[in-house]
Amino acid sequence: MRLVAQTAPYIRKNVSVGRMMLDVLVALFPITLFSMIQNGWKGIYVFLISIITMLFFELFIHMLIKWPKDMQKKELFTKKGFKKVLETYSINNIYAPLISAIIYSLILPANTAPYVVFVGATFGIVIGKMVFGGLGQNIFNPACAGRIFVSICFPLSYTNSGANLDLVSGATPLTSTNGGKLDSFGNYSLLDLFIGNRPGSMGEVCILFILVGAIYLLIRRSADFRAMLGYIFAFSFVMLISSIAYYFGVSKEKSVMEMWLYQILSGGMIFAGVFMITDPVTSPTSKFGRLYYAASAGMITALIRICGSYPEGAAFSILIMNMFTPCIDYFMRGKPNRYTWKQNLILCGTMVLFIGIIVAYILTSKGGGSL
């Protein structure tokens, strides 16, 4: 009998990183194709600029990081030198920025100014990823980093582009409910929200194709169901309690179910729950860690939607929880990789805290007071 020394885990899935990335690209295909058809050239150029920018800077900075010690700079411009650098470049170095570029494009509105797309893509791939060491070393989601950067630095570019993005003022479904006005619906039915017959970021509008991608990822086991379902369920539960509080404490103009479904189907929450919160690089490594990470992001999303100045909080919440991922891994270090009553108590306590803050805000702000 031959003994082979290897590190844990000893039972592994027959799944490579490259195959998982390819599955994500396949899952993104339906919503990407829908966005291109719906928006035409106004959406296609956003994808092209993002993909070219992120692929270029991934390769360029990778060359600087992985530069062979025995090679001089002038050798790079020779066929032999360039080939030596590319030997350290794998297919995963293409898949990863390609996925980030597509997701970044899908959380932008069509007709975004080209320079805004370029700046955000550059910031996301360089500052959000490559400065940490490149593939598999980043702590922030590159797409979220780029998205938040341009939304803060270039808000007028969105407003003036006619794209009506949910993260700024505009005639999007979430704009009407901003500030906790849960019964203030726009001119969109629940069916319009589901099939994508409404404005917003390119990837958030059609829930149907997002769910198709989610089912594919879960069947292929290329996305962690704890993160995906934890994010969506936590957001949905907090919003359900918030809708009940609004119905009984503020206004009974709309039913609880109408307000709840409107919040679930509008905005980019479902897209973020399927394609962004499930990023394995920026997520904790333990089972409970991923569940707590995703659920907390879902609760923060609900908090920002109701109490914040932005109608949408998905990208913000994921970026915030990215910062806490090392802390979660640290506290889970050495603990059994299973759920315990203490861990469940911590999760429930966190949810009660968020619900308490949101309900207090709804009742006081709409009742004539303030927090």
Side-chain angles (χ1 to χ4, degrees), residues 11 14 26 28 110-111 131 195 218 226 229 248 251 259 275 280 288 295 307 310 328 339 341 347 353:
I11 301 177
N14 187 25
V26 173
L28 283 167
N111 206 29
V131 295
I195 63 176
L218 292 176
R226 300 174 192 85
L229 300 182
F248 288 104
S251 172
M259 291 187 286
F275 294 110
F288 175 76
C307 307
Y310 285 102
I328 296 174
Y339 305 107
W341 69 269
L347 179 59
L353 176 62

Side-chain angles (χ1 to χ4, degrees), residues 139-158:
I139 64 172
F140 294 112
N141 185 301
C144 282
R147 178 66 184 78
I148 295 302
F149 180 75
V150 296
S151 68
I152 294 174
C153 296
F154 307 105
L156 293 179
S157 299
Y158 294 122

Side-chain angles (χ1 to χ4, degrees), residues 252-314:
K252 295 184 178 181
E253 181 180 350
K254 302 290 185 180
S255 69
V256 172
M257 190 58 63
E258 284 179 310
M259 291 187 286
W260 183 57
L261 289 176
Y262 192 88
Q263 287 295 324
I264 291 176
L265 296 179
S266 57
M269 186 275 298
I270 295 182
F271 180 84
V274 174
F275 294 110
M276 298 169 70
I277 201 72
T278 52
D279 178 17
V281 176
T282 57
S283 302
T285 56
S286 62
K287 293 180 180 179
F288 175 76
R290 291 183 180 180
L291 178 62
Y292 185 82
Y293 160 83
S296 298
M299 289 181 268
I300 294 173
T301 302
L303 179 69
I304 294 175
R305 275 198 188 185
I306 295 178
C307 307
S309 59
Y310 285 102
E312 179 64 284

Side-chain angles (χ1 to χ4, degrees), residues 165-185:
L165 183 63
D166 272 342
L167 285 184
V168 295
S169 59
T172 54
L174 279 183
T175 303
S176 58
T177 62
N178 186 216
K181 301 184 291 290
L182 298 183
D183 62 344
S184 179
F185 293 0

Side-chain angles (χ1 to χ4, degrees), residues 100-114:
S100 297
I102 293 175
I103 292 177
Y104 169 71
S105 301
L106 289 171
I107 56 179
L108 287 175
N111 206 29
T112 301

